[in-house]
Amino acid sequence: MALSVFEDKAKKPQERRLWQELGRSSGAWQALTEWLAEQYDPVVEEWVYFAKEWGWSLRLKHKKRTVLYLTPCNKHFLVGFVLGERAVAAALEMRLPRGVAESIKTAKKYVEGRGIRLVVRYKKDLAAVKRLTEAKMAN
């Protein structure tokens, strides 16, 4: 089973089914994509399929830089970041929820940075996502 609810490589996610799968969390998805478009115009949205175990995710890019990935799940979604070390340092200086800070600290280090995923169910969950986005884009 894939991480995303959209696991069939041959079927790119359609908006109607996306909203059905997200349920109540669709408001948070929409609020986040609108905020990103306002803050980092232009933002390009691109559905990508990486592998069978991951399924489809929405990649959001500003110019040539990937900002984050949104992975739709059943009644929630995941926000995936790859944070460089300067962004990690900036993020750890912020007031983030303990679980988010711990995820950053314990994330495996790769050449391109540390990858983390945050679960979003409600709009209130977006505060940490927005702060991490700001840290990433400033560094």
Side-chain angles (χ1 to χ4, degrees), residues 4-125:
S4 171
V5 290
F6 298 106
E7 53 189 329
D8 186 348
K9 184 178 182 178
K11 293 181 182 178
K12 189 175 180 180
Q14 299 298 314
E15 190 171 359
R16 183 175 179 188
R17 178 142 177 255
L18 172 65
W19 298 139
Q20 289 172 343
E21 293 293 343
L22 291 174
R24 286 189 205 177
S25 70
S26 63
W29 178 291
Q30 188 169 3
L32 179 57
T33 57
E34 289 173 359
W35 178 82
L36 285 165
E38 290 170 9
Q39 298 297 312
Y40 303 105
D41 185 46
V43 172
V44 176
E45 297 181 359
E46 176 185 25
W47 283 102
V48 291
Y49 185 93
F50 291 108
K52 184 178 177 180
E53 52 275 348
W54 306 111
W56 287 92
S57 290
L58 184 65
R59 177 172 41 203
L60 292 109
K61 295 177 79 173
H62 173 66
K63 300 181 182 178
K64 293 183 179 185
R65 187 176 186 191
T66 297
V67 180
L68 52 79
Y69 295 88
L70 300 179
T71 304
C73 302
N74 187 335
K75 308 297 181 222
H76 68 284
F77 61 96
L78 304 174
V79 179
F81 288 97
V82 177
L83 302 173
E85 287 306 309
R86 288 186 308 180
V88 167
L92 292 177
E93 290 180 10
M94 297 176 172
R95 291 182 141 201
L96 293 169
R98 186 177 306 151
V100 174
E102 193 60 31
S103 293
I104 295 169
K105 288 177 188 174
T106 60
K108 186 173 180 178
K109 293 181 186 180
Y110 295 97
V111 173
E112 61 275 7
R114 298 183 198 200
I116 66 162
R117 284 191 195 92
L118 303 179
V119 176
V120 176
R121 295 184 195 286
Y122 309 103
K123 287 182 183 178
K124 67 177 183 163
D125 299 331

